[in-house]
Amino acid sequence: FNATYGNNIAANAVNSIGDYLLVTQPEPWAVIEKDVINKPVKIVQSGDLSPENLDRLAQEAPNMTVVGLGGGSAMDTAKWIHWRRSLPLIQLPSLPSVDACFTRMSALRDKGGVRYEGDAVPEMVYVDFELFRAAPRSMVTSGIGDVLSCHTAWFDWKFAADQGRDEFGWNEDMPKISEMYLDELFDCAPGIAELSDDGLRRLMELHRDIGWRCHEMKHARFEEGSEHFFAYTFEEVTGRTILHGELVSMGVLIMSYFQNNNHERARETIARANTRHRLEELGVTKDEVLESLRRLPSFTVEQKHWYSHERMIDSGKINNEEVIGLLNWERRLFYVIRIGRRWWVLIASRP
């Protein structure tokens, strides 16, 4: 996808496009509205991603450019209207919390689960770092989730191949794709924690490349597995959601442990990015986590998710304290500073 990066570029982008339908959420629109001279012809508030609602919005949309401004639901809603009506599309993500602005399909909520459909290609994705920084810090640092998911997803893919259940042509070179993304995420995580231009750009470039690779490979097996299936199960069990990136990161912490798959590396990446993971921070109860984990094996079968490691979880043998301990650990903050010609990493603890 074409992408433009910079500071304070969102309003100027909107001012230059002529008549448009705005798909947004209240918070990001409030940030840029005062600087927007070219007001939208119509505003649609995103949120309901059921196919029935999205089709209704597409049918009612005026014949003009569609602008998505906001998080994942705004991006997915704008993509659907654009795809259904063959209208021009501009995307203005207000958060790096998901990769929706760089993926072609919309994530529909349908019959208690998630399914992907559509084929959207925006004319431009405008990434405004100041728009990101206007959001609460936790909403920005949650953006690692859809990259960190590679940690458990590739392992699930290999597991499926070993069990004779692979659908996508696994070979021994496949982990290199996920490992490349994970190494870059680990390296840029301190910049994400500091909300620096460089850290945010590198995170969004990861999302951009992953979106391209999903399209080229015609699947997302290398970056979606049991960690995402845990997130979908949590939504089904609780009837609600939290920030997608934090929920997926929770899934990575839990499933990497059950996979016996370098759980410590996933944990350190989360610490370096200063991404929230403790249940109190997330507003999640122990019972919600444990019930979601117990429900996970059966839910993935019902939803026909790809064969992955959650199928091996014995709901009757889950150690409750052990699972909660995977999430409620002390986070360390990393600060990278330069003194003279040398770079230093300072580490501080956060309860």
Side-chain angles (χ1 to χ4, degrees), residues 70-83:
S73 68
M75 301 291 100
D76 280 339
T77 302
K79 287 191 294 187
W80 190 266
I81 296 172
H82 146 79
W83 176 59

Side-chain angles (χ1 to χ4, degrees), residues 56-102:
R56 179 183 61 81
L57 294 177
Q59 185 176 16
E60 296 173 355
N63 189 31
M64 57 185 61
T65 297
V66 180
V67 174
L69 169 66
S73 68
M75 301 291 100
D76 280 339
T77 302
K79 287 191 294 187
W80 190 266
I81 296 172
H82 146 79
W83 176 59
R84 283 297 205 198
R85 292 287 304 278
S86 299
L87 299 173
L89 174 64
I90 299 292
Q91 295 282 49
L92 294 164
S94 64
L95 297 169
S97 56
V98 293
D99 60 4
C101 65
F102 288 127

Side-chain angles (χ1 to χ4, degrees), residues 164-231:
R165 303 291 294 271
D166 173 38
E167 305 171 44
F168 300 107
W170 164 270
N171 64 60
E172 293 302 321
D173 289 331
M174 291 301 150
K176 295 177 183 177
I177 299 170
S178 297
E179 289 167 0
M180 173 182 66
Y181 294 135
L182 292 168
D183 287 345
E184 170 65 1
L185 179 65
F186 187 86
D187 190 59
C188 72
I192 297 169
E194 293 300 312
L195 309 188
S196 70
D197 285 5
D198 179 69
L200 296 175
R201 178 192 292 268
R202 290 167 71 182
L203 174 59
M204 292 303 287
E205 281 293 289
L206 282 166
H207 286 318
R208 184 185 185 193
D209 201 73
I210 287 172
W212 165 81
R213 194 173 296 275
C214 287
H215 176 69
E216 287 294 302
M217 297 179 71
K218 303 191 185 310
H219 66 83
R221 197 67 166 104
F222 66 95
E223 65 97 19
E224 179 166 336
S226 56
E227 73 298 319
H228 272 82
F229 305 156
F230 174 85

Side-chain angles (χ1 to χ4, degrees), residues 49-334:
L49 293 174
S50 66
E52 297 80 12
N53 181 62
L54 293 179
D55 278 340
R56 179 183 61 81
L57 294 177
Q59 185 176 16
E60 296 173 355
N63 189 31
M64 57 185 61
T65 297
V66 180
V67 174
L69 169 66
S73 68
M75 301 291 100
D76 280 339
T77 302
K79 287 191 294 187
W80 190 266
I81 296 172
H82 146 79
W83 176 59
R84 283 297 205 198
R85 292 287 304 278
S86 299
L87 299 173
L89 174 64
I90 299 292
Q91 295 282 49
L92 294 164
S94 64
L95 297 169
S97 56
V98 293
D99 60 4
C101 65
F102 288 127
T103 56
R104 291 182 175 235
M105 292 187 287
S106 295
L108 310 182
R109 265 50 179 184
D110 190 23
K111 298 178 182 178
V114 177
R115 67 179 175 88
Y116 295 92
E117 188 176 344
D119 188 18
V121 180
E123 294 183 356
M124 183 62 69
V125 177
Y126 291 94
V127 179
D128 188 331
F129 302 132
E130 282 301 310
L131 185 57
F132 285 0
R133 286 190 278 260
R137 180 178 291 267
S138 61
M139 298 182 77
V140 180
T141 58
S142 71
I144 71 170
D146 273 344
V147 182
L148 186 65
S149 61
C150 293
H151 184 97
T152 36
W154 82 261
F155 199 94
D156 284 325
W157 190 5
K158 181 179 187 301
F159 172 75
D162 290 344
Q163 300 297 313
R165 303 291 294 271
D166 173 38
E167 305 171 44
F168 300 107
W170 164 270
N171 64 60
E172 293 302 321
D173 289 331
M174 291 301 150
K176 295 177 183 177
I177 299 170
S178 297
E179 289 167 0
M180 173 182 66
Y181 294 135
L182 292 168
D183 287 345
E184 170 65 1
L185 179 65
F186 187 86
D187 190 59
C188 72
I192 297 169
E194 293 300 312
L195 309 188
S196 70
D197 285 5
D198 179 69
L200 296 175
R201 178 192 292 268
R202 290 167 71 182
L203 174 59
M204 292 303 287
E205 281 293 289
L206 282 166
H207 286 318
R208 184 185 185 193
D209 201 73
I210 287 172
W212 165 81
R213 194 173 296 275
C214 287
H215 176 69
E216 287 294 302
M217 297 179 71
K218 303 191 185 310
H219 66 83
R221 197 67 166 104
F222 66 95
E223 65 97 19
E224 179 166 336
S226 56
E227 73 298 319
H228 272 82
F229 305 156
F230 174 85
Y232 304 150
T233 306
F234 177 93
E235 293 174 343
E236 191 263 350
V237 167
T238 65
R240 68 186 184 94
T241 192
I242 60 174
L243 285 172
H244 176 78
E246 291 180 338
L247 185 51
V248 170
S249 294
M250 183 192 300
V252 173
L253 286 172
I254 293 172
M255 289 311 305
S256 63
Y257 177 80
F258 280 96
Q259 293 172 336
N260 193 25
N261 171 26
N262 201 358
H263 168 81
E264 294 75 16
R265 169 74 174 215
R267 178 168 150 164
E268 188 173 356
T269 302
I270 288 171
R272 286 167 66 88
N274 196 23
T275 301
R276 299 187 307 180
H277 54 85
R278 297 174 65 87
L279 297 186
E280 183 179 3
E281 297 174 308
L282 302 177
V284 172
T285 68
K286 295 179 182 179
D287 286 344
E288 287 176 325
V289 172
L290 296 171
E291 181 57 30
S292 297
L293 187 59
R294 285 191 287 266
R295 175 76 170 108
L296 177 58
S298 60
F299 185 68
T300 57
V301 173
E302 292 169 14
Q303 293 294 313
K304 297 181 172 60
H305 291 150
W306 297 321
Y307 193 85
S308 301
H309 205 274
E310 79 285 336
R311 306 286 182 103
M312 304 300 294
I313 294 175
D314 185 338
S315 299
K317 295 182 179 180
I318 293 172
N319 184 318
N320 294 352
E321 291 186 7
E322 198 171 74
V323 170
I324 298 305
L326 300 174
L327 306 173
N328 282 345
W329 42 272
E330 181 180 285
R331 185 164 68 254
R332 296 177 298 167
L333 300 182
F334 291 75

